[in-house]
């Protein structure tokens, strides 16, 4: 089954990952900005900080100045670059189609290359080591899943938090608030899917009933531990619709974390691995919109743009006439991740997916045009701004009186869920396909 992504042409735009930054590219692309200012009201950091230097227009001017040698590459310049969420709301409204993401990625690579001490200060040694150990070898995260499950089962992590022993470390605090760790499916001979605690994914999950096609599922890195429920739900729904799901063993992280921190060589290494792994598949399904963007723009999708978000794929898939879906008479808040709204421009699909559930009413979360503050590792690197942006979402969710909030990006889901947990607001945060699978009979 060959289904092409409709946004492929928009994304291609000669976006080829480089292994090293290019000052000429920064100068040429920044010169495309006409300083009209249409991007300013759409920029989350400009709205919060009211600083020209923390707006897209201001940052582009700074980038051009540094690349031309008119402005020093100093701590203040780095701070303004680091404050950017890379939400790409500015790109979506730019009348001159300036590739802001290319500019910010290249500039961060320039910082990493020419200001070694500043670049080193942005990440601790233990965090760099952790990224090397886990992001480049995501299979190790499968083993980490068992450890987290063990600690959660005995409530040690939350116990440490109650004692105030991990409050000062944002990552440990974040880990302590993770939802209950799930395990991958194992497919039985009769075609039924059941959960397994062996921590491994089957290479193939066969279609049930009439076979309509074959797809590959991209697991990601963090999602292997924190969002197994969504991955399991995707397999379940795809199998029920007649699609065989392949889980390539050698797939790795999409590389977005490296790409947007200026580590272009590391990002390229991951891209090459994923290109080789997914080369033989006509359709590659992503359950996280942030990963989907990276896979498309880095070229893993190939010339045909074969990477698709799970919601989009399911809305064009066949076989729904034979599927029974239980009703759910509830208001479902829909959060639109920046990557889905501003880049893929596929924010309509989750609403359509929820509409398949009888009685469910999909309602946009107020302020969907603004970032929630997660933005990859931004909530760790820039916690003050991330929390300011998050509070807007939490207030809106609380006022809605809804019981469910769906979002299509794992980072956003964890960030919003943690904010709700801290405020003791009992709203379930999940992926739209997870809610759909539950109404189709999946017991998570």
């Amino acid at each position: 089954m060959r289904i092409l992504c409709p946004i492929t042409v928009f994304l291609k735009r000669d976006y080829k990952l480089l292994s090293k930054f290019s000052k000429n590219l920064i100068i040429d692309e920044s010169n495309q900005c006409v300083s009209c200012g249409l991007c300013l009201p759409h920029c989350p950091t400009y709205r919060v900080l009211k600083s020209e230097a923390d707006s897209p227009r201001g940052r582009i001017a700074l980038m051009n100045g540094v690349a031309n040698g008119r402005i020093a590459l100093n701590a203040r310049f780095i701070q303004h670059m680091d404050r950017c969420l890379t939400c790409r709301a500015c790109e979506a409204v730019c009348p001159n189609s300036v590739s802001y993401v290319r500019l910010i990625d290249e500039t961060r690579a320039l910082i990493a290359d020419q200001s070694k001490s500043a670049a080193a200060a942005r990440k601790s040694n233990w965090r760099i080591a952790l990224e090397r150990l886990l992001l480049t070898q995501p299979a190790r995260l499968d083993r980490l899943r068992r450890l987290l499950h063990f600690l959660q089962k005995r409530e040690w992590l939350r116990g440490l938090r109650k004692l105030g022993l991990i409050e000062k470390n944002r990552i440990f605090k974040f880990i302590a608030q993770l939802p209950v760790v799930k395990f991958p499916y194992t497919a039985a001979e009769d075609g039924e899917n059941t959960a397994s605690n062996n921590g491994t994914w089957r290479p193939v999950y066969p279609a049930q009933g009439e076979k309509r096609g074959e797809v590959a599922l991209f697991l990601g890195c963090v999602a292997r531990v924190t969002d197994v429920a969504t991955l399991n739900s995707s397999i379940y729904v795809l199998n029920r619709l007649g699609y065989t799901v392949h889980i390539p063993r050698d797939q790795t992280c999409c590389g977005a974390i490296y790409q947007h921190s200026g580590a272009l060589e590391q990002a390229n290494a991951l891209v090459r691995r994923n290109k080789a792994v997914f080369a033989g598949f006509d359709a590659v399904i992503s359950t996280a919109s942030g990963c989907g963007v990276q896979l498309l723009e880095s070229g893993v999708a190939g010339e045909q743009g074969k990477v698709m978000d799970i919601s989009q794929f399911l809305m064009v898939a066949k076989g729904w006439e034979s599927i029974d879906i239980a009703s759910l008479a509830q208001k479902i808040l829909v959060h639109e991740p920046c990557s889905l709204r501003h880049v893929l421009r596929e924010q309509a699909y989750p609403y359509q997916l929820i509409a398949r559930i009888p009685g469910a009413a999909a309602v946009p979360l107020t302020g969907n045009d603004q970032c929630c503050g997660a933005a990859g590792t931004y909530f760790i690197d820039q916690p003050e701004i991330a929390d300011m942006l998050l509070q807007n979402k939490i207030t809106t969710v609380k006022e809605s009186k809804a019981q469910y909030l769906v979002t299509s990006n794992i980072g956003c889901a964890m960030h919003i869920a943690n904010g709700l947990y801290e405020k003791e607001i009992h709203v379930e945060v999940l992926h739209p396909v997870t809610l759909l699978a539950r109404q189709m009979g999946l017991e998570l």
Side-chain angles (χ1 to χ4, degrees):
M1 178 182 181
R2 187 178 295 276
I3 304 176
L4 304 186
C5 176
I7 201 65
T8 301
V9 176
F10 170 77
L11 286 174
K12 284 174 71 174
R13 199 173 175 268
D14 296 326
Y15 193 105
K16 181 180 179 183
L17 293 184
L18 302 177
S19 59
K20 186 175 173 59
F21 69 90
S22 168
K23 282 188 177 182
N24 288 335
L25 187 149
I26 294 173
I27 294 170
D28 291 344
E29 192 65 32
S30 61
N31 284 339
Q32 300 303 309
C33 175
V34 296
S35 301
C36 65
L38 290 176
C39 57
L40 269 64
H42 299 274
C43 175
T45 53
Y46 180 76
R47 290 177 66 166
V48 169
L49 302 173
K50 305 300 183 195
S51 165
E52 174 72 17
D54 292 305
S55 72
R57 181 175 66 184
R59 289 190 181 103
I60 290 174
L62 291 173
M63 295 174 197
N64 186 282
V66 167
N68 276 304
R70 299 192 310 271
I71 299 175
L73 199 166
N74 55 25
R76 288 188 64 186
F77 172 78
I78 294 172
Q79 181 186 54
H80 293 307
M81 298 304 112
D82 284 349
R83 282 177 174 172
C84 174
L85 293 128
T86 323
C87 71
R88 301 174 69 172
C90 54
E91 283 190 1
V93 298
C94 179
N96 218 29
S97 301
V98 175
S99 181
Y100 180 85
V101 69
R102 190 63 179 272
L103 280 170
I104 193 67
D105 285 353
E106 294 288 326
T107 300
R108 285 169 175 164
L110 173 66
I111 292 170
D113 182 81
Q114 297 194 2
S115 184
K116 301 291 186 184
S117 58
R122 295 154 89 193
K123 289 185 182 181
S124 61
N125 290 332
W126 72 266
R127 182 174 160 191
I128 293 172
L130 198 63
E131 288 181 358
R132 284 178 182 167
L133 285 171
L134 299 179
L135 296 188
T136 58
Q137 299 291 334
R140 292 170 179 167
L141 287 165
D142 290 329
R143 293 190 283 273
L144 181 62
R145 187 188 305 111
R146 296 193 195 96
L147 173 62
L148 283 176
H149 179 73
F150 176 81
L151 295 175
Q152 284 183 338
K153 196 173 182 180
R154 285 155 179 77
E155 298 188 349
W156 287 355
L157 290 174
R158 298 210 171 179
L160 290 173
R161 190 181 177 204
K162 287 180 181 178
L163 294 173
L165 299 178
I166 58 177
E167 287 296 311
K168 292 183 179 180
N169 189 300
R170 196 169 179 87
I171 294 181
F172 287 145
K173 178 181 174 182
F174 174 76
I175 292 173
Q177 295 175 187
L178 287 176
V180 177
V181 170
K182 304 289 184 180
F183 290 93
Y185 274 137
T186 179
E189 292 300 324
D190 59 3
E192 292 294 324
N193 286 324
T194 56
S196 167
N197 62 2
N198 62 9
T200 59
W201 300 91
R202 292 289 299 269
V204 180
Y205 292 84
Q208 298 178 24
E210 178 187 350
K211 185 176 178 180
R212 291 184 170 85
E214 300 192 16
V215 300
L217 180 65
F218 179 74
L219 299 179
C221 50
V222 175
R224 288 175 182 245
V225 175
T226 64
D227 205 25
V228 175
T230 297
L231 297 170
N232 282 346
S233 297
S234 299
I235 295 169
Y236 177 83
V237 176
L238 288 165
N239 283 172
R240 288 284 304 277
L241 289 173
Y243 294 92
T244 292
V245 179
H246 295 264
I247 311 288
R249 183 175 178 273
D250 294 329
Q251 62 177 292
T252 186
C253 170
C254 69
I257 290 177
Y258 283 125
Q259 177 72 20
H260 299 314
S261 64
L264 302 184
E265 291 184 8
Q266 291 92 325
N268 268 302
L270 298 177
V271 168
R272 288 192 294 270
R273 285 174 57 182
N274 281 325
K275 261 188 171 181
V277 166
F278 291 108
F281 296 98
D282 285 339
V284 179
I285 306 300
S286 171
T287 62
S289 57
C291 296
V293 167
Q294 179 71 7
L295 293 173
L296 278 166
E297 293 191 326
S298 64
V300 172
E303 291 297 317
Q304 301 301 318
K306 61 186 177 182
V307 174
M308 296 181 71
D309 184 79
I310 180 65
S311 295
Q312 180 195 6
F313 185 90
L314 292 178
M315 287 314 303
V316 298
K318 297 179 180 180
W320 289 102
E321 64 280 356
S322 61
I323 301 297
D324 292 325
I325 304 175
S327 64
L328 180 66
Q330 292 285 342
K331 175 169 68 174
I332 314 298
L333 289 180
V334 180
H335 169 259
E336 300 171 10
C338 297
S339 47
L340 191 71
R341 179 186 177 96
H342 302 314
V343 189
L344 294 174
R345 303 184 183 182
E346 296 172 358
Q347 66 268 29
Y349 292 112
Y351 294 92
Q352 295 172 14
L353 203 61
I354 294 300
R356 287 198 174 275
I357 302 174
V363 178
L365 179 67
T366 303
N368 266 334
D369 61 322
Q370 287 293 299
C371 183
C372 69
T377 60
Y378 190 92
F379 74 99
I380 297 172
D381 301 324
Q382 303 288 332
E384 293 82 8
I385 299 175
D387 285 345
M388 291 170 69
L389 296 171
L390 176 62
Q391 289 314 307
N392 294 331
K393 304 295 183 186
I394 300 303
T395 300
T396 302
V397 172
K398 184 177 181 180
E399 292 173 349
S400 72
K401 307 297 183 182
Q403 296 183 25
Y404 301 95
L405 182 144
V406 297
T407 183
S408 301
N409 194 57
I410 177 58
C412 303
M414 294 191 295
H415 188 51
I416 295 173
N418 281 343
L420 293 170
Y421 173 82
E422 290 187 345
K423 297 293 184 180
E424 297 184 347
I425 300 172
H426 303 293
V427 174
E428 185 177 6
V429 181
L430 67 171
H431 196 287
V433 75
T434 304
L435 185 61
L436 176 65
R438 183 186 297 174
Q439 298 308 113
M440 288 171 57
L442 175 63
E443 295 183 5
L444 293 170

